[in-house]
Amino acid sequence: MQRKTVTLASVKSNEELRTLIDAANHNLEAMGYTEHGIRHVSYVSKTTQYILQELGYDERIVELGAIAGWVHDIGNSVNRHHHGLTGATLTYQIFTRRKKIPPAEIATLTSAIGNHEEETGTPVNAVSAALIIADKSDAHRSRVRRDNYDSTDIHDRVNLSIKKNFVTVDKEKKVIRLNIFMNDISSPMEYMEIYMSRMKFSEKAATLLGCDFELAINGMIVNKKQDSGE
């Protein structure tokens, strides 16, 4: 008998996963972090799916990417430190217990979730690479917790300044670009100060996908590679 496969729709409707996402967001709010709830995981899920789809990966890989994006931060329901590793463990337990998902697909999901932190992870497959780029691209004013906004906090200031953020994929030129549009509440310099390691991690992820990664802030590419002059 062929195993049933988990779908994005079933993951979104799963009460246990929704509870863990809500708990993760609550924990990070108590720690002073930006929003990590349904808005964030929805963005990461859709963006991971978009990257894989645009690069021509098969339908099931695309859906696994969307699923990984939805559950990637549930480890924060336990602790912020090494939450990717914790999230991978929780994902393994939940999916093997309830979802009857093929082991190879579970391995794809857990490796992606377990490697999405720049401090401990590395892109190991297409799903993990797309997840990294999607997750690290999500800086936006809607993530700021307005009741606790602190203008002296660089993270709050940078996120509040960002009016629009989106990823584009040029399959022909093999370029994945993060587009950021920000106002003068903050500056590109401050953005790079706090997110440089994330952008370097995204560059590494794009390489695994056979692409270059570009960061464009207010229409200017800030990490454009120099021509060799040949």
Side-chain angles (χ1 to χ4, degrees), residues 85-135:
L85 301 176
T86 306
T89 302
L90 290 172
T91 298
Y92 178 86
Q93 292 173 343
I94 291 168
F95 285 179
T96 54
R97 173 165 43 86
R98 290 191 172 187
K99 293 299 181 180
K100 298 182 180 179
I101 181 172
E105 293 190 351
I106 295 177
T108 296
L109 291 171
T110 55
S111 62
I113 295 163
N115 279 286
H116 84 270
E117 297 178 80
E118 63 267 30
E119 296 87 357
T120 57
T122 191
V124 293
N125 53 43
V127 171
S128 73
L131 174 63
I132 287 165
I133 295 170
D135 182 43

Short mmCIF file of all heavy atoms in Angstrom, two decimals, residues 85-135:
data_model
loop_
_atom_site.label_atom_id
_atom_site.label_comp_id
_atom_site.label_asym_id
_atom_site.label_seq_id
_atom_site.Cartn_x
_atom_site.Cartn_y
_atom_site.Cartn_z
N LEU A 85 17.00 23.12 15.25
CA LEU A 85 17.22 21.72 15.61
C LEU A 85 16.03 21.18 16.41
O LEU A 85 15.57 20.06 16.16
CB LEU A 85 18.51 21.58 16.41
CG LEU A 85 19.78 22.07 15.71
CD1 LEU A 85 20.98 21.97 16.64
CD2 LEU A 85 20.03 21.29 14.43
N THR A 86 15.55 21.97 17.35
CA THR A 86 14.38 21.56 18.11
C THR A 86 13.16 21.41 17.21
O THR A 86 12.38 20.45 17.33
CB THR A 86 14.07 22.58 19.22
OG1 THR A 86 15.23 22.78 20.02
CG2 THR A 86 12.93 22.10 20.11
N GLY A 87 12.99 22.36 16.29
CA GLY A 87 11.85 22.31 15.36
C GLY A 87 11.90 21.08 14.47
O GLY A 87 10.86 20.48 14.18
N ALA A 88 13.10 20.70 14.04
CA ALA A 88 13.24 19.50 13.22
C ALA A 88 12.83 18.26 14.00
O ALA A 88 12.16 17.36 13.47
CB ALA A 88 14.68 19.36 12.73
N THR A 89 13.21 18.19 15.28
CA THR A 89 12.85 17.06 16.12
C THR A 89 11.34 16.99 16.32
O THR A 89 10.72 15.92 16.23
CB THR A 89 13.55 17.17 17.48
OG1 THR A 89 14.97 17.21 17.27
CG2 THR A 89 13.21 15.99 18.36
N LEU A 90 10.72 18.15 16.61
CA LEU A 90 9.27 18.18 16.79
C LEU A 90 8.55 17.78 15.50
O LEU A 90 7.57 17.03 15.53
CB LEU A 90 8.83 19.59 17.20
CG LEU A 90 9.21 20.03 18.61
CD1 LEU A 90 8.89 21.52 18.79
CD2 LEU A 90 8.49 19.20 19.66
N THR A 91 9.04 18.27 14.37
CA THR A 91 8.44 17.93 13.08
C THR A 91 8.50 16.44 12.83
O THR A 91 7.51 15.82 12.39
CB THR A 91 9.16 18.69 11.95
OG1 THR A 91 9.00 20.10 12.15
CG2 THR A 91 8.59 18.32 10.59
N TYR A 92 9.64 15.83 13.10
CA TYR A 92 9.78 14.39 12.92
C TYR A 92 8.76 13.64 13.76
O TYR A 92 8.07 12.73 13.27
CB TYR A 92 11.20 13.96 13.29
CG TYR A 92 11.41 12.46 13.17
CD1 TYR A 92 11.77 11.90 11.95
CD2 TYR A 92 11.23 11.62 14.27
CE1 TYR A 92 11.94 10.52 11.82
CE2 TYR A 92 11.39 10.25 14.15
CZ TYR A 92 11.75 9.71 12.92
OH TYR A 92 11.90 8.35 12.80
N GLN A 93 8.64 14.02 15.02
CA GLN A 93 7.72 13.32 15.91
C GLN A 93 6.26 13.49 15.47
O GLN A 93 5.49 12.52 15.45
CB GLN A 93 7.90 13.85 17.34
CG GLN A 93 9.25 13.50 17.95
CD GLN A 93 9.47 14.16 19.29
OE1 GLN A 93 8.79 15.12 19.65
NE2 GLN A 93 10.45 13.67 20.04
N ILE A 94 5.89 14.69 15.13
CA ILE A 94 4.50 14.94 14.75
C ILE A 94 4.14 14.24 13.45
O ILE A 94 3.08 13.60 13.34
CB ILE A 94 4.25 16.46 14.62
CG1 ILE A 94 4.34 17.13 16.00
CG2 ILE A 94 2.89 16.75 13.98
CD1 ILE A 94 4.39 18.64 15.95
N PHE A 95 5.00 14.32 12.45
CA PHE A 95 4.66 13.75 11.15
C PHE A 95 4.72 12.22 11.14
O PHE A 95 3.93 11.58 10.46
CB PHE A 95 5.57 14.33 10.06
CG PHE A 95 5.21 15.74 9.67
CD1 PHE A 95 5.95 16.40 8.72
CD2 PHE A 95 4.14 16.41 10.25
CE1 PHE A 95 5.63 17.70 8.35
CE2 PHE A 95 3.81 17.69 9.89
CZ PHE A 95 4.56 18.35 8.94
N THR A 96 5.65 11.64 11.88
CA THR A 96 5.70 10.18 11.93
C THR A 96 4.53 9.62 12.74
O THR A 96 4.03 8.53 12.46
CB THR A 96 7.02 9.67 12.53
OG1 THR A 96 7.22 10.28 13.82
CG2 THR A 96 8.19 9.96 11.62
N ARG A 97 4.07 10.37 13.72
CA ARG A 97 2.99 9.90 14.58
C ARG A 97 1.62 10.07 13.93
O ARG A 97 0.74 9.24 14.12
CB ARG A 97 3.04 10.66 15.91
CG ARG A 97 1.87 10.41 16.85
CD ARG A 97 2.17 10.90 18.26
NE ARG A 97 2.82 12.18 18.29
CZ ARG A 97 2.19 13.35 18.26
NH1 ARG A 97 0.87 13.39 18.17
NH2 ARG A 97 2.87 14.48 18.33
N ARG A 98 1.43 11.13 13.16
CA ARG A 98 0.08 11.46 12.69
C ARG A 98 -0.12 11.44 11.19
O ARG A 98 -1.24 11.27 10.72
CB ARG A 98 -0.30 12.87 13.17
CG ARG A 98 -0.55 12.97 14.66
CD ARG A 98 -1.18 14.31 14.98
NE ARG A 98 -1.60 14.37 16.36
CZ ARG A 98 -2.30 15.36 16.87
NH1 ARG A 98 -2.66 16.38 16.09
NH2 ARG A 98 -2.65 15.36 18.13
N LYS A 99 0.93 11.62 10.41
CA LYS A 99 0.73 11.97 9.02
C LYS A 99 0.98 10.87 7.99
O LYS A 99 0.66 11.03 6.84
CB LYS A 99 1.61 13.19 8.67
CG LYS A 99 1.19 14.47 9.38
CD LYS A 99 -0.22 14.86 9.02
CE LYS A 99 -0.63 16.14 9.71
NZ LYS A 99 -2.00 16.52 9.35
N LYS A 100 1.61 9.79 8.43
CA LYS A 100 1.90 8.70 7.48
C LYS A 100 2.62 9.22 6.24
O LYS A 100 2.28 8.87 5.12
CB LYS A 100 0.61 7.97 7.08
CG LYS A 100 -0.09 7.30 8.25
CD LYS A 100 -1.34 6.56 7.79
CE LYS A 100 -2.03 5.89 8.96
NZ LYS A 100 -3.26 5.19 8.55
N ILE A 101 3.59 10.03 6.45
CA ILE A 101 4.37 10.62 5.36
C ILE A 101 5.60 9.76 5.10
O ILE A 101 6.20 9.22 6.04
CB ILE A 101 4.76 12.07 5.73
CG1 ILE A 101 5.54 12.74 4.61
CG2 ILE A 101 5.52 12.13 7.02
CD1 ILE A 101 5.78 14.22 4.86
N PRO A 102 5.99 9.56 3.86
CA PRO A 102 7.16 8.73 3.55
C PRO A 102 8.42 9.23 4.27
O PRO A 102 8.64 10.44 4.36
CB PRO A 102 7.30 8.87 2.04
CG PRO A 102 5.92 9.17 1.57
CD PRO A 102 5.31 10.02 2.63
N PRO A 103 9.24 8.33 4.77
CA PRO A 103 10.45 8.72 5.51
C PRO A 103 11.37 9.67 4.73
O PRO A 103 11.96 10.56 5.32
CB PRO A 103 11.15 7.38 5.77
CG PRO A 103 10.03 6.39 5.81
CD PRO A 103 9.04 6.87 4.78
N ALA A 104 11.47 9.47 3.43
CA ALA A 104 12.34 10.35 2.63
C ALA A 104 11.84 11.79 2.65
O ALA A 104 12.64 12.74 2.65
CB ALA A 104 12.43 9.84 1.19
N GLU A 105 10.52 11.95 2.66
CA GLU A 105 9.96 13.30 2.71
C GLU A 105 10.16 13.93 4.09
O GLU A 105 10.43 15.13 4.21
CB GLU A 105 8.49 13.29 2.32
CG GLU A 105 8.28 12.92 0.86
CD GLU A 105 6.85 13.14 0.39
OE1 GLU A 105 5.96 13.43 1.22
OE2 GLU A 105 6.62 13.02 -0.83
N ILE A 106 10.02 13.12 5.13
CA ILE A 106 10.29 13.61 6.48
C ILE A 106 11.74 14.06 6.59
O ILE A 106 12.05 15.11 7.17
CB ILE A 106 9.99 12.54 7.54
CG1 ILE A 106 8.51 12.20 7.56
CG2 ILE A 106 10.43 13.02 8.93
CD1 ILE A 106 8.14 11.11 8.53
N ALA A 107 12.64 13.29 6.00
CA ALA A 107 14.06 13.65 6.05
C ALA A 107 14.32 14.97 5.34
O ALA A 107 15.13 15.79 5.79
CB ALA A 107 14.90 12.53 5.42
N THR A 108 13.64 15.20 4.22
CA THR A 108 13.78 16.47 3.51
C THR A 108 13.32 17.63 4.38
O THR A 108 13.99 18.67 4.48
CB THR A 108 12.97 16.44 2.20
OG1 THR A 108 13.51 15.43 1.34
CG2 THR A 108 13.03 17.78 1.49
N LEU A 109 12.18 17.45 5.03
CA LEU A 109 11.64 18.51 5.88
C LEU A 109 12.53 18.77 7.09
O LEU A 109 12.84 19.93 7.41
CB LEU A 109 10.22 18.14 6.35
CG LEU A 109 9.14 18.13 5.28
CD1 LEU A 109 7.84 17.55 5.84
CD2 LEU A 109 8.88 19.53 4.75
N THR A 110 12.93 17.73 7.78
CA THR A 110 13.71 17.93 9.00
C THR A 110 15.09 18.51 8.70
O THR A 110 15.60 19.33 9.47
CB THR A 110 13.85 16.62 9.80
OG1 THR A 110 14.42 15.60 8.96
CG2 THR A 110 12.50 16.16 10.32
N SER A 111 15.70 18.12 7.59
CA SER A 111 17.00 18.68 7.25
C SER A 111 16.88 20.16 6.89
O SER A 111 17.77 20.96 7.21
CB SER A 111 17.65 17.90 6.10
OG SER A 111 16.87 17.98 4.92
N ALA A 112 15.78 20.53 6.24
CA ALA A 112 15.57 21.94 5.90
C ALA A 112 15.33 22.77 7.16
O ALA A 112 15.95 23.83 7.35
CB ALA A 112 14.39 22.08 4.94
N ILE A 113 14.44 22.29 8.02
CA ILE A 113 14.12 23.02 9.25
C ILE A 113 15.34 23.08 10.18
O ILE A 113 15.63 24.12 10.78
CB ILE A 113 12.92 22.36 9.96
CG1 ILE A 113 11.68 22.48 9.08
CG2 ILE A 113 12.68 22.99 11.33
CD1 ILE A 113 10.55 21.55 9.47
N GLY A 114 16.05 21.98 10.26
CA GLY A 114 17.22 21.92 11.15
C GLY A 114 18.40 22.74 10.68
O GLY A 114 19.34 22.96 11.46
N ASN A 115 18.36 23.21 9.45
CA ASN A 115 19.49 23.97 8.90
C ASN A 115 19.14 25.41 8.53
O ASN A 115 19.92 26.06 7.83
CB ASN A 115 20.04 23.25 7.66
CG ASN A 115 20.96 22.11 8.03
OD1 ASN A 115 22.09 22.30 8.44
ND2 ASN A 115 20.46 20.89 7.87
N HIS A 116 18.02 25.95 9.02
CA HIS A 116 17.66 27.29 8.56
C HIS A 116 18.25 28.41 9.41
O HIS A 116 18.15 29.58 9.06
CB HIS A 116 16.13 27.44 8.48
CG HIS A 116 15.45 27.78 9.78
ND1 HIS A 116 14.99 26.82 10.65
CD2 HIS A 116 15.12 28.97 10.34
CE1 HIS A 116 14.41 27.41 11.69
NE2 HIS A 116 14.49 28.72 11.53
N GLU A 117 18.91 28.07 10.52
CA GLU A 117 19.59 29.09 11.33
C GLU A 117 21.01 29.31 10.82
O GLU A 117 21.76 28.35 10.65
CB GLU A 117 19.65 28.65 12.79
CG GLU A 117 18.31 28.47 13.48
CD GLU A 117 18.53 27.98 14.90
OE1 GLU A 117 18.83 28.81 15.77
OE2 GLU A 117 18.40 26.75 15.14
N GLU A 118 21.36 30.58 10.63
CA GLU A 118 22.70 30.86 10.10
C GLU A 118 23.81 30.49 11.08
O GLU A 118 24.96 30.24 10.67
CB GLU A 118 22.83 32.33 9.68
CG GLU A 118 22.68 33.35 10.78
CD GLU A 118 21.25 33.85 10.92
OE1 GLU A 118 20.31 33.07 10.62
OE2 GLU A 118 21.07 35.01 11.34
N GLU A 119 23.50 30.46 12.38
CA GLU A 119 24.54 30.15 13.37
C GLU A 119 24.97 28.68 13.33
O GLU A 119 26.12 28.37 13.63
CB GLU A 119 24.03 30.47 14.79
CG GLU A 119 23.72 31.93 15.04
CD GLU A 119 22.31 32.32 14.63
OE1 GLU A 119 21.57 31.45 14.10
OE2 GLU A 119 21.94 33.49 14.83
N THR A 120 24.06 27.79 12.98
CA THR A 120 24.36 26.36 13.06
C THR A 120 24.07 25.60 11.78
O THR A 120 24.46 24.43 11.67
CB THR A 120 23.53 25.70 14.19
OG1 THR A 120 22.14 25.93 13.95
CG2 THR A 120 23.89 26.29 15.55
N GLY A 121 23.41 26.21 10.82
CA GLY A 121 22.95 25.48 9.65
C GLY A 121 23.77 25.70 8.40
O GLY A 121 24.67 26.54 8.34
N THR A 122 23.42 24.92 7.40
CA THR A 122 24.00 25.07 6.07
C THR A 122 22.99 24.53 5.06
O THR A 122 22.26 23.57 5.37
CB THR A 122 25.34 24.30 5.95
OG1 THR A 122 26.00 24.66 4.74
CG2 THR A 122 25.14 22.80 5.98
N PRO A 123 22.88 25.13 3.88
CA PRO A 123 21.96 24.59 2.88
C PRO A 123 22.41 23.21 2.43
O PRO A 123 23.55 23.04 2.01
CB PRO A 123 22.01 25.62 1.75
CG PRO A 123 23.29 26.38 1.95
CD PRO A 123 23.55 26.36 3.41
N VAL A 124 21.50 22.22 2.52
CA VAL A 124 21.88 20.84 2.21
C VAL A 124 21.06 20.25 1.06
O VAL A 124 21.42 19.20 0.54
CB VAL A 124 21.74 19.94 3.45
CG1 VAL A 124 22.77 20.32 4.51
CG2 VAL A 124 20.32 20.01 4.03
N ASN A 125 19.97 20.90 0.70
CA ASN A 125 19.15 20.45 -0.42
C ASN A 125 18.34 21.65 -0.91
O ASN A 125 18.39 22.73 -0.32
CB ASN A 125 18.25 19.27 -0.04
CG ASN A 125 17.39 19.55 1.19
OD1 ASN A 125 16.83 20.64 1.33
ND2 ASN A 125 17.28 18.56 2.07
N ALA A 126 17.60 21.45 -1.98
CA ALA A 126 16.87 22.57 -2.59
C ALA A 126 15.84 23.17 -1.64
O ALA A 126 15.69 24.40 -1.56
CB ALA A 126 16.19 22.11 -3.87
N VAL A 127 15.13 22.32 -0.89
CA VAL A 127 14.12 22.83 0.04
C VAL A 127 14.78 23.66 1.13
O VAL A 127 14.30 24.75 1.48
CB VAL A 127 13.31 21.66 0.65
CG1 VAL A 127 12.42 22.17 1.78
CG2 VAL A 127 12.46 20.99 -0.43
N SER A 128 15.90 23.19 1.67
CA SER A 128 16.58 23.94 2.72
C SER A 128 17.09 25.28 2.20
O SER A 128 16.99 26.31 2.89
CB SER A 128 17.73 23.13 3.31
OG SER A 128 18.83 23.04 2.43
N ALA A 129 17.62 25.29 0.98
CA ALA A 129 18.15 26.53 0.41
C ALA A 129 17.05 27.56 0.18
O ALA A 129 17.20 28.75 0.52
CB ALA A 129 18.88 26.23 -0.90
N ALA A 130 15.94 27.12 -0.39
CA ALA A 130 14.83 28.04 -0.63
C ALA A 130 14.25 28.56 0.69
O ALA A 130 13.88 29.73 0.81
CB ALA A 130 13.75 27.35 -1.46
N LEU A 131 14.17 27.67 1.70
CA LEU A 131 13.66 28.07 3.01
C LEU A 131 14.55 29.13 3.64
O LEU A 131 14.06 30.11 4.22
CB LEU A 131 13.56 26.84 3.92
CG LEU A 131 13.18 27.11 5.38
CD1 LEU A 131 11.79 27.73 5.47
CD2 LEU A 131 13.25 25.82 6.19
N ILE A 132 15.85 28.95 3.54
CA ILE A 132 16.79 29.93 4.10
C ILE A 132 16.55 31.31 3.51
O ILE A 132 16.42 32.31 4.22
CB ILE A 132 18.25 29.48 3.86
CG1 ILE A 132 18.60 28.30 4.78
CG2 ILE A 132 19.23 30.63 4.08
CD1 ILE A 132 19.86 27.56 4.38
N ILE A 133 16.49 31.38 2.19
CA ILE A 133 16.31 32.67 1.52
C ILE A 133 14.97 33.30 1.91
O ILE A 133 14.89 34.50 2.21
CB ILE A 133 16.42 32.51 0.00
CG1 ILE A 133 17.84 32.06 -0.38
CG2 ILE A 133 16.07 33.82 -0.72
CD1 ILE A 133 17.99 31.63 -1.83
N ALA A 134 13.93 32.49 1.92
CA ALA A 134 12.60 33.00 2.27
C ALA A 134 12.58 33.54 3.69
O ALA A 134 12.06 34.63 3.95
CB ALA A 134 11.56 31.89 2.09
N ASP A 135 13.13 32.79 4.62
CA ASP A 135 13.12 33.19 6.03
C ASP A 135 13.93 34.46 6.24
O ASP A 135 13.48 35.40 6.91
CB ASP A 135 13.66 32.06 6.89
CG ASP A 135 13.64 32.37 8.37
OD1 ASP A 135 12.62 32.92 8.85
OD2 ASP A 135 14.64 32.05 9.05
#
